[in-house]
Amino acid sequence: MELNPQQKAAVAYDGAHVLVLAGAGTGKTRTIIGRARHLLEQGVDPGRILMLTFTRRAAREMVQRLTQLTGQEQLPLMAGTFHHFCLYTMRRMPAAFGVANATVIDRDDQVQLMKLVRGGRRRKGEQLPRASELVSLCSYARNTNQRIADYLKRYTEHDEATIEKICRLAKEFERRKRANDYLDYDDILFVFASRLQADSALRQRLKSLFDHILVDEMQDTNPLQWLILDGLRDPARLFCVGDDAQSIYAFRGADFRNVHAFTRRVPNAAVLRLEENYRSTQGILDLSNWLLTASPLKYGKKLRAHRKTVSKPSLLDFDSDFEEARWIAHDLIERHEAGADWRDHMVITRTGYGARALESFLVEQKIPYRFVGGTSLMQAAHVKDLLSLVRACASPRDELAWARYLTLWPRIGDVTAARAIREMRTCSDTRAAIASLAKILKARRDVSDGLSAVLGDWNDPPAAITRAGHYLAPILKTRYSNWNQRRRDLDLLARLAKRHRSLVAFIETYTLDPVSVTESRRLQGEDAVTLTTVHSAKGTEAPVCYLIRVEPGMYPHIRSLGREDDEEEERRILYVAMTRARDELILTRCLRNGGFRRSPYSVSVAPDREREAYFFKDLDRRLINSEAITAYFDRSDDYGALHPDDDDW
DNA sequence: GAAGCGTTATACTAT
DNA sequence: ATAACGCTTC
């Protein structure tokens, strides 16, 4: 593995702590891997290295590459996300953290629980935010380590009475989570960080586990995650890599002070820089640099291409997202027929919703693709139905799982389910709960039989999943019209379960690391186009990148308008998207309305404001391929053949 | 009173 | 695609 002098300096840095500022495409991953390899060569025990990445995928890739490099079969180093690491550690010391029987819940469950806490319908003109908004507020306050009241007063415009009400609901939400033995994503970090801070004996014990902590994507860590790093360092040494121009998770509490204030917080730390870009052509970087220069914030960053080729990005205009999608599908097929692999192409979208038209074309044209960041397998309704049965078996106190499972059955609705759940709450284990349930629903033996059946296969995850599937099939068949498609997901679930020893661990793994439906349906390594959201594209690259819907209302996204910080984050999102491309960057957009299924936002919210804020409003045309612009003004040519009369859609 | 059914609103990013 | 809502049915 070749390293340039800057990378070498970082890899071999010998002081206590270091922050590596690495621009897009400057070999960040390579440098972290190089660092780990260097440490191993120095004789550091792999078990004493902790690698924290932003996604499980990134962790897997790094360990894989490192394993190849070192020629070892298995490297017992700990690599994963902050959430993964914290949960793993807490599971091994349940008493110290008080999370012995916890069920990990995802965002959907949080919202569901909040609905129960908040109470039903939202009347017109009501000040109180909806449940999903309440969850976001709580989550943000938690991750930025502030009291929810302070956060609401400082950064929102709710009146005092509403703030008080929200605080009461937040408190009740916390109480309800504890009553159900739930741990949400935020709790995982919060409980870990608080115990780490409060219990000095525990802190010493955890500190003694590692000598080196390697952190990727430092700019997207939040204050809670900083507390964790802070609690674990010294004698352990921090090696943090990040780029403030690529900070795109502020909405989740990420705080790039973790980068900017690093040397102030860690006095004996050094800052190193990686500046040479190995990924893209200068043409792609020129446009990316231009975007940052146009910002009121001074990023003080100019990416230089190491490569000699200069290919300008193209910008193509279409009348609708429908035509845009058709053109891309056509272009992909053309390139594939000319000998290119599908996998060399990545389509990047701001929102999952924005890729709907394209997705339908990919399916229709039978172009193999995987959608990273699309609907996750675990969020599909039928999968949740099945998992509710498994989760109900795991914990008599998991009220969301019980409610979902019970109301699947005909003639059992909210009220009956709630009554049964109240009764079972007092039961100490699942067997007792099932017995109690059988008593309440005398005539409904099938309801409790399903639970007993799954319990019977409890220690054989794939068998239990399969059994649960068989048990629920008759009900699900009547519930979902496309049952035959959906049942395949349940088979897939059983196959995924094979890799896990316990059902709880299985569910937990995929709750923390969601698999997208298209991703999991495809076999690993199969040649396919990648369709991804910008956020999920972070850290990845492809020779050919299509950046779709680069239009007013999307960049910056309409929901960010009016809040300066949010609009600036949108700029970085576009920057991250553009810097994924190696050889070719193709930007597409539709400036005119009248497309197929326009988003309701684009019409209802001030279009002037959208256009005014649009990042390409004053685009320097010299930065993009002029032929592409011609194609927009004179659209009678080539791809015209593809759409004869397309109004029949 | 509880469950079921048809219609309508809603949709940014995600560990 | 899904959930919530309002109305009908048991």
Side-chain angles (χ1 to χ4, degrees):
Chain A
M1 193 169 70
E2 295 277 317
L3 296 172
N4 71 19
Q6 292 177 315
Q7 292 168 336
K8 273 186 197 145
V11 161
Y13 181 74
D14 206 27
H17 308 287
V18 63
L19 174 68
V20 181
L21 296 175
T26 56
K28 194 159 49 86
T29 310
R30 171 180 287 243
T31 303
I32 293 186
I33 293 170
R35 173 67 170 183
R37 185 193 190 185
H38 171 80
L39 294 172
L40 295 176
E41 282 168 0
Q42 298 279 302
V44 174
D45 175 357
R48 301 195 56 83
I49 299 175
L50 171 63
M51 241 184 185
L52 295 170
T53 55
F54 201 70
T55 62
R56 293 279 288 279
R57 196 181 311 120
R60 270 195 301 272
E61 272 169 30
M62 285 198 196
V63 173
Q64 207 172 12
R65 278 171 66 175
L66 197 56
T67 313
Q68 279 167 5
L69 276 175
T70 55
Q72 301 204 335
E73 293 221 335
Q74 257 197 332
L75 272 179
L77 65 80
M78 175 110 213
T81 62
F82 277 86
H83 292 84
H84 183 216
F85 161 68
C86 291
L87 186 64
Y88 177 92
T89 307
M90 294 195 292
R91 284 288 189 222
R92 263 142 204 84
M93 308 177 186
F97 290 99
V99 296
N101 298 308
T103 303
V104 174
I105 59 167
D106 64 8
R107 180 60 193 255
D108 285 350
D109 282 336
Q110 281 182 295
V111 173
Q112 221 56 43
L113 193 69
M114 186 58 96
K115 274 178 191 158
L116 295 177
V117 168
R118 184 190 181 282
R121 55 186 171 267
R122 197 161 85 125
R123 290 176 301 273
K124 259 190 204 154
E126 191 181 26
Q127 296 295 305
L128 197 63
R130 68 181 76 245
S132 58
E133 176 66 13
L134 288 170
V135 169
S136 293
L137 293 170
C138 292
S139 178
Y140 188 87
R142 217 90 192 291
N143 279 289
T144 51
N145 197 29
Q146 45 189 330
R147 281 174 209 277
I148 183 145
D150 296 339
Y151 164 58
L152 293 170
K153 270 176 216 154
R154 242 174 277 168
Y155 300 105
T156 71
E157 279 162 19
H158 294 296
D159 58 50
E160 221 160 283
T162 310
I163 289 178
E164 204 172 299
K165 188 92 194 283
I166 296 174
C167 292
R168 268 210 308 280
L169 291 174
K171 214 168 179 182
E172 175 58 19
F173 179 62
E174 293 305 320
R175 198 199 59 75
R176 192 95 171 221
K177 276 192 295 185
R178 276 198 298 279
N180 285 290
D181 272 332
Y182 288 151
L183 269 186
D184 62 26
Y185 292 142
D186 311 320
D187 294 326
I188 292 173
L189 298 182
F190 183 78
V191 172
F192 189 93
S194 342
R195 298 302 303 148
L196 186 65
Q197 215 165 34
D199 183 340
S200 66
L202 179 66
R203 186 166 62 246
Q204 289 317 316
R205 198 168 152 205
L206 292 172
K207 270 186 185 217
S208 72
L209 294 176
F210 303 104
D211 295 326
H212 295 273
I213 304 176
L214 279 47
V215 187
D216 193 11
E217 309 283 8
M218 187 66 177
Q219 76 283 352
D220 283 321
T221 54
N222 63 41
L224 222 43
Q225 289 167 325
W226 170 252
L227 286 180
I228 291 167
L229 289 178
D230 201 32
L232 292 175
R233 77 185 163 96
D234 293 313
R237 294 156 60 182
L238 298 179
F239 184 90
C240 305
V241 186
D243 176 13
D244 54 2
Q246 292 184 72
S247 167
I248 55 173
Y249 278 95
F251 70 92
R252 213 173 76 178
D255 183 351
F256 53 28
R257 273 176 300 183
N258 285 356
V259 168
H260 291 159
F262 191 81
T263 47
R264 192 152 42 76
R265 293 172 177 175
V266 189
N268 48 344
V271 177
L272 302 175
R273 284 169 199 277
L274 305 181
E275 289 169 318
E276 185 119 23
N277 178 294
Y278 291 86
R279 180 182 295 151
S280 313
T281 66
Q282 189 61 51
I284 293 167
L285 297 185
D286 286 342
L287 183 65
S288 311
N289 286 333
W290 168 83
L291 182 70
L292 286 197
T293 320
S295 163
L297 296 184
K298 288 292 160 256
Y299 290 98
K301 191 158 309 235
K302 265 234 150 64
L303 291 173
R304 296 191 305 268
H306 175 79
R307 298 173 53 185
K308 293 288 171 260
T309 32
V310 183
S311 71
K312 280 191 195 178
S314 315
L315 178 64
L316 296 162
D317 285 84
F318 298 93
D319 284 343
S320 67
D321 55 349
F322 172 76
E323 279 189 40
E324 175 190 44
R326 192 208 306 264
W327 182 85
I328 290 173
H330 174 238
D331 198 53
L332 284 168
I333 290 170
E334 218 168 54
R335 286 163 185 271
H336 187 248
E337 282 172 354
D341 285 338
W342 294 122
R343 66 167 61 85
D344 286 341
H345 304 82
M346 182 153 81
V347 181
I348 308 175
T349 174
R350 172 69 182 83
T351 70
Y353 187 69
R356 286 194 55 140
L358 180 65
E359 220 181 341
S360 67
F361 267 97
L362 294 176
V363 172
E364 192 190 275
Q365 299 289 321
K366 300 199 166 51
I367 298 174
Y369 74 99
R370 58 184 192 124
F371 191 169
V372 186
T375 320
S376 100
L377 181 68
M378 300 312 251
Q379 285 168 343
H382 52 296
V383 173
K384 284 211 246 173
D385 292 339
L386 186 142
L387 293 180
S388 73
L389 169 49
V390 177
R391 266 173 57 178
C393 288
S395 164
R397 297 211 281 183
D398 186 342
E399 67 175 309
L400 295 173
W402 278 100
R404 183 159 193 132
Y405 172 67
L406 292 174
T407 54
L408 279 177
W409 295 87
R411 313 298 315 159
I412 298 178
D414 303 345
V415 181
T416 311
R419 199 174 56 224
I421 290 167
R422 254 198 316 280
E423 287 297 317
M424 290 187 297
R425 186 149 280 279
T426 54
C427 298
S428 54
D429 63 46
T430 311
R431 298 244 173 241
I434 295 175
S436 158
L437 181 70
K439 223 183 279 169
I440 299 162
L441 305 170
K442 282 187 211 76
R444 310 294 302 272
R445 288 306 299 269
D446 41 359
V447 179
S448 46
D449 284 353
L451 293 152
S452 307
V454 171
L455 264 191
D457 279 329
W458 194 246
N459 294 315
D460 184 351
I465 299 282
T466 306
R467 190 174 291 275
H470 283 313
Y471 218 87
L472 292 178
I475 307 177
L476 299 183
K477 203 180 290 181
T478 61
R479 256 182 126 78
Y480 302 108
S481 54
N482 54 352
W483 165 241
N484 277 330
Q485 277 170 44
R486 288 173 186 257
R487 87 191 308 164
R488 264 179 276 156
D489 290 334
L490 302 189
D491 294 341
L492 174 75
L493 211 60
R495 258 186 293 141
L496 288 175
K498 278 186 194 151
R499 300 185 212 155
H500 299 270
R501 240 176 251 153
S502 92
L503 281 166
V504 171
F506 164 63
I507 295 176
E508 206 161 277
T509 300
Y510 292 101
T511 304
L512 277 183
D513 184 24
V515 212
S516 89
V517 176
T518 53
E519 199 172 15
S520 50
R521 277 183 196 148
R522 308 212 149 269
L523 298 166
Q524 287 219 328
E526 189 183 338
D527 189 25
V529 172
T530 298
L531 174 56
T532 173
T533 59
V534 184
H535 286 83
S536 299
K538 197 163 78 138
T540 66
E541 59 176 33
V544 181
C545 286
Y546 300 85
L547 192 39
I548 65 170
R549 308 287 305 263
V550 189
E551 60 210 38
M554 247 351 162
Y555 298 94
H557 193 272
I558 198 157
R559 295 267 294 248
S560 72
L561 294 182
R563 289 175 308 263
E564 211 176 314
D565 292 354
D566 292 1
E567 285 187 31
E568 270 311 303
E569 175 146 305
E570 297 289 313
R571 185 190 303 280
R572 296 189 295 267
I573 289 170
L574 182 53
Y575 178 78
V576 168
M578 295 195 299
T579 53
R580 299 308 96 198
R582 288 223 294 260
D583 307 326
E584 283 186 71
L585 174 62
I586 301 159
L587 305 144
T588 63
R589 60 181 181 181
C590 22
L591 295 175
R592 294 165 229 213
N593 278 352
F596 125 110
R597 289 245 250 157
R598 272 307 272 186
S599 144
Y601 288 115
S602 342
V603 265
S604 60
V605 182
D608 294 346
R609 184 71 194 91
E610 282 173 52
R611 271 170 233 283
E612 190 51 37
Y614 183 44
F615 295 132
F616 279 3
K617 183 171 63 97
D618 301 314
L619 175 63
D620 182 347
R621 289 276 160 127
R622 284 168 302 183
L623 294 173
I624 52 172
N625 195 334
S626 56
E627 266 178 68
I629 304 174
T630 317
Y632 157 52
F633 288 114
D634 174 19
R635 322 180 35 260
S636 53
D637 54 323
D638 56 357
Y639 62 87
L642 247 180
H643 46 107
D645 275 308
D646 52 33
D647 288 337
D648 50 329
W649 266 68

